[in-house]
PDB file of all heavy atoms in Angstrom:
ATOM      1  N   ILE A 312      24.756 244.491   7.085  1.00  0.00           N
ATOM      2  CA  ILE A 312      25.497 244.111   5.872  1.00  0.00           C
ATOM      3  C   ILE A 312      26.156 245.350   5.266  1.00  0.00           C
ATOM      4  O   ILE A 312      27.316 245.330   4.862  1.00  0.00           O
ATOM      5  CB  ILE A 312      24.547 243.425   4.860  1.00  0.00           C
ATOM      6  CG1 ILE A 312      24.091 242.073   5.422  1.00  0.00           C
ATOM      7  CG2 ILE A 312      25.206 243.252   3.494  1.00  0.00           C
ATOM      8  CD1 ILE A 312      22.970 241.411   4.657  1.00  0.00           C
ATOM      9  N   ASN A 313      25.423 246.451   5.269  1.00  0.00           N
ATOM     10  CA  ASN A 313      25.988 247.684   4.717  1.00  0.00           C
ATOM     11  C   ASN A 313      27.141 248.197   5.583  1.00  0.00           C
ATOM     12  O   ASN A 313      28.153 248.668   5.069  1.00  0.00           O
ATOM     13  CB  ASN A 313      24.882 248.729   4.600  1.00  0.00           C
ATOM     14  CG  ASN A 313      25.380 249.999   3.944  1.00  0.00           C
ATOM     15  OD1 ASN A 313      25.901 249.950   2.836  1.00  0.00           O
ATOM     16  ND2 ASN A 313      25.271 251.119   4.633  1.00  0.00           N
ATOM     17  N   ASN A 314      26.997 248.058   6.902  1.00  0.00           N
ATOM     18  CA  ASN A 314      28.043 248.555   7.798  1.00  0.00           C
ATOM     19  C   ASN A 314      29.341 247.754   7.680  1.00  0.00           C
ATOM     20  O   ASN A 314      30.432 248.296   7.794  1.00  0.00           O
ATOM     21  CB  ASN A 314      27.566 248.521   9.260  1.00  0.00           C
ATOM     22  CG  ASN A 314      26.439 249.516   9.510  1.00  0.00           C
ATOM     23  OD1 ASN A 314      26.295 250.486   8.781  1.00  0.00           O
ATOM     24  ND2 ASN A 314      25.617 249.279  10.535  1.00  0.00           N
ATOM     25  N   PHE A 315      29.208 246.435   7.470  1.00  0.00           N
ATOM     26  CA  PHE A 315      30.399 245.585   7.443  1.00  0.00           C
ATOM     27  C   PHE A 315      30.859 245.238   6.033  1.00  0.00           C
ATOM     28  O   PHE A 315      32.008 244.868   5.823  1.00  0.00           O
ATOM     29  CB  PHE A 315      30.144 244.295   8.234  1.00  0.00           C
ATOM     30  CG  PHE A 315      30.192 244.502   9.722  1.00  0.00           C
ATOM     31  CD1 PHE A 315      29.097 245.016  10.406  1.00  0.00           C
ATOM     32  CD2 PHE A 315      31.353 244.224  10.434  1.00  0.00           C
ATOM     33  CE1 PHE A 315      29.148 245.235  11.775  1.00  0.00           C
ATOM     34  CE2 PHE A 315      31.407 244.430  11.804  1.00  0.00           C
ATOM     35  CZ  PHE A 315      30.306 244.948  12.475  1.00  0.00           C
ATOM     36  N   GLY A 316      29.948 245.283   5.081  1.00  0.00           N
ATOM     37  CA  GLY A 316      30.271 244.885   3.704  1.00  0.00           C
ATOM     38  C   GLY A 316      29.740 243.482   3.433  1.00  0.00           C
ATOM     39  O   GLY A 316      29.886 242.577   4.269  1.00  0.00           O
ATOM     40  N   PHE A 317      29.134 243.302   2.259  1.00  0.00           N
ATOM     41  CA  PHE A 317      28.499 242.025   1.918  1.00  0.00           C
ATOM     42  C   PHE A 317      29.500 240.870   1.913  1.00  0.00           C
ATOM     43  O   PHE A 317      29.225 239.789   2.442  1.00  0.00           O
ATOM     44  CB  PHE A 317      27.806 242.157   0.542  1.00  0.00           C
ATOM     45  CG  PHE A 317      27.073 240.923   0.125  1.00  0.00           C
ATOM     46  CD1 PHE A 317      25.825 240.623   0.658  1.00  0.00           C
ATOM     47  CD2 PHE A 317      27.640 240.036  -0.786  1.00  0.00           C
ATOM     48  CE1 PHE A 317      25.143 239.465   0.282  1.00  0.00           C
ATOM     49  CE2 PHE A 317      26.965 238.879  -1.170  1.00  0.00           C
ATOM     50  CZ  PHE A 317      25.716 238.606  -0.633  1.00  0.00           C
ATOM     51  N   ASP A 318      30.686 241.104   1.336  1.00  0.00           N
ATOM     52  CA  ASP A 318      31.648 239.998   1.212  1.00  0.00           C
ATOM     53  C   ASP A 318      32.146 239.524   2.583  1.00  0.00           C
ATOM     54  O   ASP A 318      32.309 238.326   2.823  1.00  0.00           O
ATOM     55  CB  ASP A 318      32.848 240.433   0.350  1.00  0.00           C
ATOM     56  CG  ASP A 318      32.406 240.637  -1.093  1.00  0.00           C
ATOM     57  OD1 ASP A 318      31.339 240.098  -1.464  1.00  0.00           O
ATOM     58  OD2 ASP A 318      33.099 241.359  -1.829  1.00  0.00           O
ATOM     59  N   ILE A 319      32.347 240.487   3.477  1.00  0.00           N
ATOM     60  CA  ILE A 319      32.803 240.121   4.832  1.00  0.00           C
ATOM     61  C   ILE A 319      31.693 239.351   5.551  1.00  0.00           C
ATOM     62  O   ILE A 319      31.929 238.344   6.224  1.00  0.00           O
ATOM     63  CB  ILE A 319      33.209 241.394   5.609  1.00  0.00           C
ATOM     64  CG1 ILE A 319      34.473 241.962   4.975  1.00  0.00           C
ATOM     65  CG2 ILE A 319      33.405 241.124   7.101  1.00  0.00           C
ATOM     66  CD1 ILE A 319      34.947 243.266   5.554  1.00  0.00           C
ATOM     67  N   PHE A 320      30.452 239.817   5.369  1.00  0.00           N
ATOM     68  CA  PHE A 320      29.297 239.145   5.979  1.00  0.00           C
ATOM     69  C   PHE A 320      29.213 237.700   5.465  1.00  0.00           C
ATOM     70  O   PHE A 320      29.064 236.752   6.234  1.00  0.00           O
ATOM     71  CB  PHE A 320      28.018 239.935   5.629  1.00  0.00           C
ATOM     72  CG  PHE A 320      26.825 239.586   6.467  1.00  0.00           C
ATOM     73  CD1 PHE A 320      26.538 240.313   7.622  1.00  0.00           C
ATOM     74  CD2 PHE A 320      25.977 238.545   6.120  1.00  0.00           C
ATOM     75  CE1 PHE A 320      25.429 240.000   8.402  1.00  0.00           C
ATOM     76  CE2 PHE A 320      24.879 238.223   6.898  1.00  0.00           C
ATOM     77  CZ  PHE A 320      24.603 238.960   8.040  1.00  0.00           C
ATOM     78  N   LYS A 321      29.365 237.555   4.157  1.00  0.00           N
ATOM     79  CA  LYS A 321      29.270 236.216   3.548  1.00  0.00           C
ATOM     80  C   LYS A 321      30.393 235.296   4.060  1.00  0.00           C
ATOM     81  O   LYS A 321      30.148 234.138   4.415  1.00  0.00           O
ATOM     82  CB  LYS A 321      29.340 236.353   2.020  1.00  0.00           C
ATOM     83  CG  LYS A 321      29.246 235.042   1.285  1.00  0.00           C
ATOM     84  CD  LYS A 321      29.162 235.246  -0.218  1.00  0.00           C
ATOM     85  CE  LYS A 321      29.335 233.907  -0.935  1.00  0.00           C
ATOM     86  NZ  LYS A 321      29.256 234.035  -2.383  1.00  0.00           N
ATOM     87  N   LYS A 322      31.601 235.826   4.092  1.00  0.00           N
ATOM     88  CA  LYS A 322      32.750 235.014   4.571  1.00  0.00           C
ATOM     89  C   LYS A 322      32.531 234.549   6.004  1.00  0.00           C
ATOM     90  O   LYS A 322      32.854 233.421   6.366  1.00  0.00           O
ATOM     91  CB  LYS A 322      34.038 235.852   4.506  1.00  0.00           C
ATOM     92  CG  LYS A 322      34.713 235.749   3.177  1.00  0.00           C
ATOM     93  CD  LYS A 322      36.234 236.016   3.305  1.00  0.00           C
ATOM     94  CE  LYS A 322      36.819 236.173   1.922  1.00  0.00           C
ATOM     95  NZ  LYS A 322      36.916 237.571   1.471  1.00  0.00           N
ATOM     96  N   GLU A 323      31.974 235.433   6.809  1.00  0.00           N
ATOM     97  CA  GLU A 323      31.743 235.085   8.210  1.00  0.00           C
ATOM     98  C   GLU A 323      30.692 233.960   8.324  1.00  0.00           C
ATOM     99  O   GLU A 323      30.817 233.081   9.181  1.00  0.00           O
ATOM    100  CB  GLU A 323      31.303 236.345   8.987  1.00  0.00           C
ATOM    101  CG  GLU A 323      31.092 236.137  10.470  1.00  0.00           C
ATOM    102  CD  GLU A 323      32.391 235.896  11.264  1.00  0.00           C
ATOM    103  OE1 GLU A 323      33.491 236.157  10.727  1.00  0.00           O
ATOM    104  OE2 GLU A 323      32.281 235.427  12.430  1.00  0.00           O
ATOM    105  N   ILE A 324      29.687 233.983   7.452  1.00  0.00           N
ATOM    106  CA  ILE A 324      28.683 232.893   7.469  1.00  0.00           C
ATOM    107  C   ILE A 324      29.389 231.578   7.154  1.00  0.00           C
ATOM    108  O   ILE A 324      29.191 230.559   7.825  1.00  0.00           O
ATOM    109  CB  ILE A 324      27.563 233.128   6.419  1.00  0.00           C
ATOM    110  CG1 ILE A 324      26.851 234.456   6.634  1.00  0.00           C
ATOM    111  CG2 ILE A 324      26.539 231.977   6.451  1.00  0.00           C
ATOM    112  CD1 ILE A 324      25.902 234.834   5.499  1.00  0.00           C
ATOM    113  N   GLU A 325      30.242 231.621   6.134  1.00  0.00           N
ATOM    114  CA  GLU A 325      30.941 230.388   5.730  1.00  0.00           C
ATOM    115  C   GLU A 325      31.865 229.900   6.844  1.00  0.00           C
ATOM    116  O   GLU A 325      31.959 228.710   7.117  1.00  0.00           O
ATOM    117  CB  GLU A 325      31.726 230.640   4.431  1.00  0.00           C
ATOM    118  CG  GLU A 325      30.782 230.927   3.268  1.00  0.00           C
ATOM    119  CD  GLU A 325      31.484 231.093   1.917  1.00  0.00           C
ATOM    120  OE1 GLU A 325      32.588 231.664   1.879  1.00  0.00           O
ATOM    121  OE2 GLU A 325      30.907 230.659   0.915  1.00  0.00           O
ATOM    122  N   LYS A 326      32.499 230.873   7.521  1.00  0.00           N
ATOM    123  CA  LYS A 326      33.419 230.506   8.606  1.00  0.00           C
ATOM    124  C   LYS A 326      32.653 229.863   9.769  1.00  0.00           C
ATOM    125  O   LYS A 326      33.014 228.801  10.255  1.00  0.00           O
ATOM    126  CB  LYS A 326      34.140 231.774   9.080  1.00  0.00           C
ATOM    127  CG  LYS A 326      35.262 231.512  10.048  1.00  0.00           C
ATOM    128  CD  LYS A 326      36.056 232.770  10.332  1.00  0.00           C
ATOM    129  CE  LYS A 326      36.186 232.923  11.829  1.00  0.00           C
ATOM    130  NZ  LYS A 326      36.415 234.293  12.233  1.00  0.00           N
ATOM    131  N   ARG A 327      31.546 230.516  10.163  1.00  0.00           N
ATOM    132  CA  ARG A 327      30.812 229.987  11.323  1.00  0.00           C
ATOM    133  C   ARG A 327      30.136 228.647  11.025  1.00  0.00           C
ATOM    134  O   ARG A 327      29.975 227.813  11.908  1.00  0.00           O
ATOM    135  CB  ARG A 327      29.751 230.997  11.787  1.00  0.00           C
ATOM    136  CG  ARG A 327      30.356 232.231  12.431  1.00  0.00           C
ATOM    137  CD  ARG A 327      29.322 233.091  13.123  1.00  0.00           C
ATOM    138  NE  ARG A 327      29.948 234.346  13.537  1.00  0.00           N
ATOM    139  CZ  ARG A 327      29.469 235.154  14.455  1.00  0.00           C
ATOM    140  NH1 ARG A 327      28.334 234.865  15.075  1.00  0.00           N
ATOM    141  NH2 ARG A 327      30.092 236.262  14.782  1.00  0.00           N
ATOM    142  N   SER A 328      29.691 228.474   9.778  1.00  0.00           N
ATOM    143  CA  SER A 328      28.930 227.253   9.474  1.00  0.00           C
ATOM    144  C   SER A 328      29.824 226.144   8.927  1.00  0.00           C
ATOM    145  O   SER A 328      29.375 224.996   8.820  1.00  0.00           O
ATOM    146  CB  SER A 328      27.846 227.569   8.443  1.00  0.00           C
ATOM    147  OG  SER A 328      28.447 227.984   7.228  1.00  0.00           O
ATOM    148  N   CYS A 329      31.051 226.497   8.540  1.00  0.00           N
ATOM    149  CA  CYS A 329      31.948 225.561   7.847  1.00  0.00           C
ATOM    150  C   CYS A 329      31.299 225.031   6.562  1.00  0.00           C
ATOM    151  O   CYS A 329      31.450 223.855   6.205  1.00  0.00           O
ATOM    152  CB  CYS A 329      32.354 224.379   8.748  1.00  0.00           C
ATOM    153  SG  CYS A 329      33.136 224.873  10.247  1.00  0.00           S
ATOM    154  N   ILE A 330      30.535 225.872   5.920  1.00  0.00           N
ATOM    155  CA  ILE A 330      29.893 225.489   4.653  1.00  0.00           C
ATOM    156  C   ILE A 330      30.256 226.561   3.626  1.00  0.00           C
ATOM    157  O   ILE A 330      30.191 227.754   3.922  1.00  0.00           O
ATOM    158  CB  ILE A 330      28.352 225.438   4.810  1.00  0.00           C
ATOM    159  CG1 ILE A 330      27.960 224.306   5.763  1.00  0.00           C
ATOM    160  CG2 ILE A 330      27.648 225.261   3.459  1.00  0.00           C
ATOM    161  CD1 ILE A 330      26.562 224.437   6.312  1.00  0.00           C
ATOM    162  N   THR A 331      30.652 226.117   2.435  1.00  0.00           N
ATOM    163  CA  THR A 331      30.964 227.097   1.385  1.00  0.00           C
ATOM    164  C   THR A 331      29.772 227.177   0.435  1.00  0.00           C
ATOM    165  O   THR A 331      29.266 226.145  -0.015  1.00  0.00           O
ATOM    166  CB  THR A 331      32.219 226.644   0.597  1.00  0.00           C
ATOM    167  OG1 THR A 331      33.246 226.401   1.560  1.00  0.00           O
ATOM    168  CG2 THR A 331      32.668 227.713  -0.385  1.00  0.00           C
ATOM    169  N   PHE A 332      29.351 228.382   0.153  1.00  0.00           N
ATOM    170  CA  PHE A 332      28.231 228.549  -0.784  1.00  0.00           C
ATOM    171  C   PHE A 332      28.680 228.141  -2.179  1.00  0.00           C
ATOM    172  O   PHE A 332      29.773 228.499  -2.625  1.00  0.00           O
ATOM    173  CB  PHE A 332      27.775 230.020  -0.829  1.00  0.00           C
ATOM    174  CG  PHE A 332      27.042 230.443   0.408  1.00  0.00           C
ATOM    175  CD1 PHE A 332      27.642 231.288   1.343  1.00  0.00           C
ATOM    176  CD2 PHE A 332      25.733 230.014   0.639  1.00  0.00           C
ATOM    177  CE1 PHE A 332      26.966 231.682   2.485  1.00  0.00           C
ATOM    178  CE2 PHE A 332      25.052 230.402   1.779  1.00  0.00           C
ATOM    179  CZ  PHE A 332      25.673 231.242   2.710  1.00  0.00           C
ATOM    180  N   LYS A 333      27.787 227.403  -2.872  1.00  0.00           N
ATOM    181  CA  LYS A 333      28.048 227.126  -4.291  1.00  0.00           C
ATOM    182  C   LYS A 333      27.349 228.211  -5.091  1.00  0.00           C
ATOM    183  O   LYS A 333      26.561 228.999  -4.535  1.00  0.00           O
ATOM    184  CB  LYS A 333      27.462 225.767  -4.651  1.00  0.00           C
ATOM    185  CG  LYS A 333      28.013 224.628  -3.844  1.00  0.00           C
ATOM    186  CD  LYS A 333      28.215 223.396  -4.734  1.00  0.00           C
ATOM    187  CE  LYS A 333      28.925 222.303  -3.983  1.00  0.00           C
ATOM    188  NZ  LYS A 333      28.086 221.676  -2.960  1.00  0.00           N
ATOM    189  N   GLN A 334      27.594 228.219  -6.378  1.00  0.00           N
ATOM    190  CA  GLN A 334      26.944 229.227  -7.211  1.00  0.00           C
ATOM    191  C   GLN A 334      25.416 229.033  -7.187  1.00  0.00           C
ATOM    192  O   GLN A 334      24.939 227.891  -7.261  1.00  0.00           O
ATOM    193  CB  GLN A 334      27.456 229.097  -8.634  1.00  0.00           C
ATOM    194  CG  GLN A 334      27.204 230.365  -9.380  1.00  0.00           C
ATOM    195  CD  GLN A 334      27.728 230.302 -10.797  1.00  0.00           C
ATOM    196  OE1 GLN A 334      28.446 229.379 -11.171  1.00  0.00           O
ATOM    197  NE2 GLN A 334      27.368 231.288 -11.572  1.00  0.00           N
ATOM    198  N   SER A 335      24.685 230.129  -7.099  1.00  0.00           N
ATOM    199  CA  SER A 335      23.219 230.045  -7.070  1.00  0.00           C
ATOM    200  C   SER A 335      22.701 229.383  -8.339  1.00  0.00           C
ATOM    201  O   SER A 335      23.267 229.566  -9.409  1.00  0.00           O
ATOM    202  CB  SER A 335      22.611 231.451  -7.003  1.00  0.00           C
ATOM    203  OG  SER A 335      22.877 232.019  -5.768  1.00  0.00           O
ATOM    204  N   TYR A 336      21.614 228.634  -8.185  1.00  0.00           N
ATOM    205  CA  TYR A 336      20.957 228.037  -9.355  1.00  0.00           C
ATOM    206  C   TYR A 336      19.993 229.061  -9.964  1.00  0.00           C
ATOM    207  O   TYR A 336      19.400 229.873  -9.233  1.00  0.00           O
ATOM    208  CB  TYR A 336      20.146 226.814  -8.931  1.00  0.00           C
ATOM    209  CG  TYR A 336      20.957 225.546  -8.852  1.00  0.00           C
ATOM    210  CD1 TYR A 336      21.861 225.334  -7.818  1.00  0.00           C
ATOM    211  CD2 TYR A 336      20.820 224.561  -9.828  1.00  0.00           C
ATOM    212  CE1 TYR A 336      22.612 224.167  -7.745  1.00  0.00           C
ATOM    213  CE2 TYR A 336      21.566 223.394  -9.759  1.00  0.00           C
ATOM    214  CZ  TYR A 336      22.452 223.206  -8.716  1.00  0.00           C
ATOM    215  OH  TYR A 336      23.191 222.051  -8.654  1.00  0.00           O
ATOM    216  N   PRO A 337      19.791 228.998 -11.277  1.00  0.00           N
ATOM    217  CA  PRO A 337      18.792 229.900 -11.861  1.00  0.00           C
ATOM    218  C   PRO A 337      17.364 229.467 -11.481  1.00  0.00           C
ATOM    219  O   PRO A 337      17.114 228.280 -11.249  1.00  0.00           O
ATOM    220  CB  PRO A 337      19.003 229.744 -13.370  1.00  0.00           C
ATOM    221  CG  PRO A 337      19.840 228.540 -13.559  1.00  0.00           C
ATOM    222  CD  PRO A 337      20.503 228.189 -12.263  1.00  0.00           C
ATOM    223  N   TYR A 338      16.482 230.400 -11.384  1.00  0.00           N
ATOM    224  CA  TYR A 338      15.062 230.132 -11.093  1.00  0.00           C
ATOM    225  C   TYR A 338      14.275 231.297 -11.661  1.00  0.00           C
ATOM    226  O   TYR A 338      14.860 232.344 -11.973  1.00  0.00           O
ATOM    227  CB  TYR A 338      14.816 230.048  -9.563  1.00  0.00           C
ATOM    228  CG  TYR A 338      15.186 231.319  -8.853  1.00  0.00           C
ATOM    229  CD1 TYR A 338      14.247 232.336  -8.656  1.00  0.00           C
ATOM    230  CD2 TYR A 338      16.502 231.537  -8.435  1.00  0.00           C
ATOM    231  CE1 TYR A 338      14.611 233.528  -8.040  1.00  0.00           C
ATOM    232  CE2 TYR A 338      16.872 232.721  -7.830  1.00  0.00           C
ATOM    233  CZ  TYR A 338      15.928 233.713  -7.632  1.00  0.00           C
ATOM    234  OH  TYR A 338      16.291 234.901  -7.046  1.00  0.00           O
ATOM    235  N   ILE A 339      12.971 231.124 -11.800  1.00  0.00           N
ATOM    236  CA  ILE A 339      12.192 232.296 -12.214  1.00  0.00           C
ATOM    237  C   ILE A 339      10.982 232.464 -11.304  1.00  0.00           C
ATOM    238  O   ILE A 339      10.418 231.491 -10.794  1.00  0.00           O
ATOM    239  CB  ILE A 339      11.666 232.245 -13.679  1.00  0.00           C
ATOM    240  CG1 ILE A 339      11.013 230.888 -13.981  1.00  0.00           C
ATOM    241  CG2 ILE A 339      12.741 232.585 -14.680  1.00  0.00           C
ATOM    242  CD1 ILE A 339      10.144 230.937 -15.212  1.00  0.00           C
ATOM    243  N   PHE A 340      10.622 233.722 -11.126  1.00  0.00           N
ATOM    244  CA  PHE A 340       9.346 234.035 -10.481  1.00  0.00           C
ATOM    245  C   PHE A 340       8.388 234.530 -11.553  1.00  0.00           C
ATOM    246  O   PHE A 340       8.785 235.320 -12.428  1.00  0.00           O
ATOM    247  CB  PHE A 340       9.520 235.139  -9.432  1.00  0.00           C
ATOM    248  CG  PHE A 340      10.191 234.672  -8.169  1.00  0.00           C
ATOM    249  CD1 PHE A 340      11.170 235.446  -7.556  1.00  0.00           C
ATOM    250  CD2 PHE A 340       9.836 233.465  -7.573  1.00  0.00           C
ATOM    251  CE1 PHE A 340      11.788 235.029  -6.391  1.00  0.00           C
ATOM    252  CE2 PHE A 340      10.454 233.031  -6.408  1.00  0.00           C
ATOM    253  CZ  PHE A 340      11.431 233.814  -5.818  1.00  0.00           C
ATOM    254  N   LEU A 341       7.147 234.065 -11.456  1.00  0.00           N
ATOM    255  CA  LEU A 341       6.148 234.521 -12.429  1.00  0.00           C
ATOM    256  C   LEU A 341       5.061 235.366 -11.780  1.00  0.00           C
ATOM    257  O   LEU A 341       4.440 236.198 -12.427  1.00  0.00           O
ATOM    258  CB  LEU A 341       5.490 233.317 -13.129  1.00  0.00           C
ATOM    259  CG  LEU A 341       6.428 232.461 -13.990  1.00  0.00           C
ATOM    260  CD1 LEU A 341       5.694 231.245 -14.538  1.00  0.00           C
ATOM    261  CD2 LEU A 341       6.992 233.302 -15.141  1.00  0.00           C
ATOM    262  N   ASN A 342       4.792 235.121 -10.516  1.00  0.00           N
ATOM    263  CA  ASN A 342       3.698 235.877  -9.877  1.00  0.00           C
ATOM    264  C   ASN A 342       3.835 235.867  -8.362  1.00  0.00           C
ATOM    265  O   ASN A 342       4.696 235.178  -7.799  1.00  0.00           O
ATOM    266  CB  ASN A 342       2.334 235.291 -10.269  1.00  0.00           C
ATOM    267  CG  ASN A 342       2.283 233.807  -9.988  1.00  0.00           C
ATOM    268  OD1 ASN A 342       2.708 233.357  -8.932  1.00  0.00           O
ATOM    269  ND2 ASN A 342       1.787 233.032 -10.935  1.00  0.00           N
ATOM    270  N   ARG A 343       2.957 236.647  -7.723  1.00  0.00           N
ATOM    271  CA  ARG A 343       2.906 236.682  -6.252  1.00  0.00           C
ATOM    272  C   ARG A 343       1.513 236.430  -5.715  1.00  0.00           C
ATOM    273  O   ARG A 343       1.317 236.094  -4.566  1.00  0.00           O
ATOM    274  CB  ARG A 343       3.349 238.064  -5.758  1.00  0.00           C
ATOM    275  CG  ARG A 343       4.808 238.215  -5.611  1.00  0.00           C
ATOM    276  CD  ARG A 343       5.150 239.538  -5.021  1.00  0.00           C
ATOM    277  NE  ARG A 343       4.908 240.627  -5.934  1.00  0.00           N
ATOM    278  CZ  ARG A 343       5.037 241.915  -5.626  1.00  0.00           C
ATOM    279  NH1 ARG A 343       5.363 242.257  -4.397  1.00  0.00           N
ATOM    280  NH2 ARG A 343       4.839 242.853  -6.518  1.00  0.00           N
ATOM    281  N   THR A 344       0.523 236.674  -6.575  1.00  0.00           N
ATOM    282  CA  THR A 344      -0.865 236.596  -6.124  1.00  0.00           C
ATOM    283  C   THR A 344      -1.274 235.140  -5.928  1.00  0.00           C
ATOM    284  O   THR A 344      -0.780 234.265  -6.632  1.00  0.00           O
ATOM    285  CB  THR A 344      -1.757 237.259  -7.198  1.00  0.00           C
ATOM    286  OG1 THR A 344      -1.224 238.550  -7.443  1.00  0.00           O
ATOM    287  CG2 THR A 344      -3.183 237.371  -6.759  1.00  0.00           C
ATOM    288  N   ASP A 345      -2.166 234.887  -4.978  1.00  0.00           N
ATOM    289  CA  ASP A 345      -2.648 233.517  -4.791  1.00  0.00           C
ATOM    290  C   ASP A 345      -3.544 233.113  -5.962  1.00  0.00           C
ATOM    291  O   ASP A 345      -4.135 233.962  -6.621  1.00  0.00           O
ATOM    292  CB  ASP A 345      -3.458 233.437  -3.482  1.00  0.00           C
ATOM    293  CG  ASP A 345      -2.578 233.737  -2.278  1.00  0.00           C
ATOM    294  OD1 ASP A 345      -1.389 233.363  -2.298  1.00  0.00           O
ATOM    295  OD2 ASP A 345      -3.079 234.372  -1.326  1.00  0.00           O
TER     296      ASP A 345
END
Side-chain angles (χ1 to χ4, degrees):
I312 293 169
N313 184 56
N314 293 337
F315 284 81
F317 182 78
D318 292 340
I319 291 176
F320 195 93
K321 180 174 169 180
K322 272 206 191 95
E323 183 70 15
I324 302 171
E325 294 184 323
K326 189 172 130 204
R327 290 191 188 199
S328 63
C329 303
I330 294 162
T331 307
F332 287 107
K333 301 219 173 71
Q334 200 179 350
S335 291
Y336 275 73
Y338 60 91
I339 47 163
F340 285 137
L341 296 176
N342 53 45
R343 275 185 290 175
T344 307
D345 296 325

